[in-house]
Amino acid sequence: MSPLTDQIRALIAARQLAPGARLPPERTLAAELGVSRSRLREAMQQLISRGLIVSRRGGGNFVAPGSAERALEQAMQPLQPLAQAEGGYWQDVMEIRKSLEADAAYHAALRADDRDRQHLQAALGAVCAGAADPETQSRADAAFHMAIAEASHNLVLRQVISGLFDLMRVSIAESLSKLHLLPDTAEKLNHQHQAIAAAILAGRADDARQAATDHLCFVEDSLRRIETETARARRAGALRNKLPQGELPA
Amino acid sequence: MSPLTDQIRALIAARQLAPGARLPPERTLAAELGVSRSRLREAMQQLISRGLIVSRRGGGNFVAPGSAERALEQAMQPLQPLAQAEGGYWQDVMEIRKSLEADAAYHAALRADDRDRQHLQAALGAVCAGAADPETQSRADAAFHMAIAEASHNLVLRQVISGLFDLMRVSIAESLSKLHLLPDTAEKLNHQHQAIAAAILAGRADDARQAATDHLCFVEDSLRRIETETARARRAGALRNKLPQGELPA
DNA sequence: TCCTGATATTGGTCATACCAAAATCCGAAG
DNA sequence: CTTCGGATTTTGGTATGACCAATATCAGGA
């Protein structure tokens, strides 16, 4: 985030401030950290907007409830490799995809014309072929889901789903490669993709919706499992190394 | 996030500032928004920490390239031309709203905190009070549905629904006024709104989803009925008038 | 003991000033 | 005319001090 926010979180961790605990007044805290209140507040606003701290006008600033472990972990691990976890967006996105793509599959089954079916089958072939390159594979995956969105013949739906994929394009390849580390995942994914396509091509709308829902729930669940695992791994090897901060120039 | 950050993002959207574009100096921007630079900066820091804006000391503040919300906003952009398109497109939007808002209601029931509940109740009061002015009423209606989206605590969901409302804001007032021509519609709508709010406030997630679905199906059905009627009327009375589109400045 | 009102504390906002990095401008050298 | 280099202006980063409003705290009275 910023050096100051890390300092604040480190201070929270050092003093063992539990969720709900009140932290020093801004004026005091600013003096303690040797900065002006304005600067302190700019950092504080970031923490507030991230939900790590809640603020009550006239009352004080408090450690947000349920953010104990995060605050501690992150304070002990100043270098956060959660570039993709930035704000935990992917969970939000998956939640929406479950609804929208289920809808898209449903309507696609009802409205797909010959051209749509052709595209869908081509996309299915590509995604099931399986590419060694995660980047290529993720493209194929996106193309498959977009083919369904197209076939739904709902322009707004198509645009929104396209936007969501755009939103995730950075993390999809990475997630997908991680996903394939789990046993049998590739086969399961292929099977699910085929089930969705089959239902759509056969015009079985309800089956299509169900298949899409199952697929996305599986992906979401797998991703969640992976995240907790990597988090655990990070915790285990935490005090291993103290590598310098990476810088990204323009 | 915060009202100011939304204002800033609205300004970015209004001026069509592309990623990489430079936005006004802080002093100017602060004056434009009628706030002090300190406050402006506190909001700006939030946007910066979220990766929406990058700042170069001495250089200026810039819209971040390929930022998350940018992608969504851009995705909504191509739809603008459809806003004026003769019919058909609103059905696409309603189809999506049925899914997304049902989801939003469901998650809102599970995740709403006290502040969310307070907002929701206020919005419910406003929308049920009923305004003579269709414009005001449509605003209240949008605010109610946005309150639910906020309470879902899913940033992406909130952003998408917000985008959909933004997309429809011209036609909503019109549709709503037409809607109220049908008998008992106001009462039915109020009843539905209350049912949704009640389920959310009580934490009954499944009920909330069902209530939201019922509501939107009712609206969609009513609008469809109205359209067929007006279409019939139009066929009868040919090309009578060409009413101009009303636009409101931010 | 419990309420109540005055007082102190604290977050929210504003205005102003100064510094340093970057951008811009402008004149001299080629 | 172009180009280079330094002076000047612009702009983000930080600091200070002040005031307001919501909250918390405490003393005094019923």
Side-chain angles (χ1 to χ4, degrees), chain B residues 39 47 53 71 97 106 111 123 140 148-149 163 168 171 205 216 239 244:
Chain B
R39 187 155 144 59
L47 296 176
I53 286 180
R97 283 186 64 191
Y106 177 85
R111 301 174 184 161
I148 297 175
M168 297 183 73
S171 57
L216 287 170
L239 37 96

Side-chain angles (χ1 to χ4, degrees), chain A residues 22 27 34-39 42 56-59:
Chain A
R22 175 173 164 175
R27 292 162 175 85
V35 298
S36 68
R37 186 153 87 105
S38 24
R39 185 153 146 61
E42 286 181 9
R56 268 164 43 200
R57 181 195 185 98

Side-chain angles (χ1 to χ4, degrees), chain A residues 122-141:
Chain A
L124 177 65
V127 75
C128 283
D133 175 21
E135 171 69 18
T136 306
Q137 181 63 23
S138 74
R139 265 184 215 290
D141 189 78

Side-chain angles (χ1 to χ4, degrees), chain A residues 109-125:
Chain A
L110 297 177
R111 302 173 184 161
D113 58 26
D114 288 341
R115 193 181 357 256
D116 294 326
R117 291 178 214 277
Q118 201 171 330
H119 288 164
L120 183 58
Q121 253 164 340
L124 177 65

Side-chain angles (χ1 to χ4, degrees), chain A residues 2 13 16 20-21 27 40-41 62 69 73 88 91 142 151 153 156 169 173 185 190 198 217 229 233 242 244 246:
Chain A
S2 88
Q16 308 225 0
R27 292 162 175 85
L40 188 269
R41 272 184 60 79
F62 303 80
E69 300 214 2
E73 247 178 63
Q91 298 193 44
H153 286 216
V156 182
R169 74 185 182 287
T185 305
N190 277 353
C217 283
E229 259 180 36
K242 215 187 258 187

Side-chain angles (χ1 to χ4, degrees), chain A residues 1 5 9 12 19-20 23 43-55 61-71 74 86-87, chain B residues 1-2 46 49-50 113 115 153 155:
Chain A
M1 255 188 270
T5 56
R9 293 190 305 187
I12 292 176
L23 43 93
M44 207 67 100
Q45 285 301 118
Q46 291 177 238
L47 296 175
I48 291 174
S49 81
R50 273 186 163 61
L52 276 157
I53 287 179
V54 292
S55 165
N61 295 319
F62 303 80
V63 179
S67 71
E69 300 214 2
R70 274 227 312 242
Q74 308 228 0
E86 180 58 39
Chain B
M1 247 187 277
S2 89
Q46 291 178 238
S49 81
R50 273 189 163 62
D113 58 28
R115 192 178 359 254
H153 286 215
L155 291 181

